[in-house]
Amino acid sequence: MRGDGVVGEQPVLKPGDSFEYTSGCPLPTPVGSMRGSYHCVADDGTTFEATIPEFVLSMPRALH
């Protein structure tokens, strides 16, 4: 998925700051996974990718 911002926001983070959000996606199977990256731009214009490691998506009580 590509787009501007995260859940409609473009947070500006200073060293030590964090940003948390909740989102969802259709999951046609009981268990799946997701991974990706965020394209980031520093104050000086330097760009970098922040990698999001793969994580598990599961329907409630599907795993435990």
Side-chain angles (χ1 to χ4, degrees):
M1 174 166 268
R2 297 203 178 275
D4 292 331
V6 176
V7 293
E9 298 185 45
Q10 295 181 340
V12 175
L13 303 176
K14 300 295 181 198
D17 286 352
S18 64
F19 178 75
E20 187 174 318
Y21 68 97
T22 301
S23 66
C25 71
L27 189 60
T29 61
V31 179
S33 66
M34 190 177 284
R35 63 186 156 91
S37 65
Y38 289 116
H39 178 76
C40 302
V41 181
D43 286 340
D44 66 2
T46 303
T47 62
F48 61 96
E49 297 294 314
T51 301
I52 303 163
E54 187 170 6
F55 58 94
V56 174
L57 301 169
S58 64
M59 295 177 147
R61 295 175 295 287
L63 297 177
H64 303 285

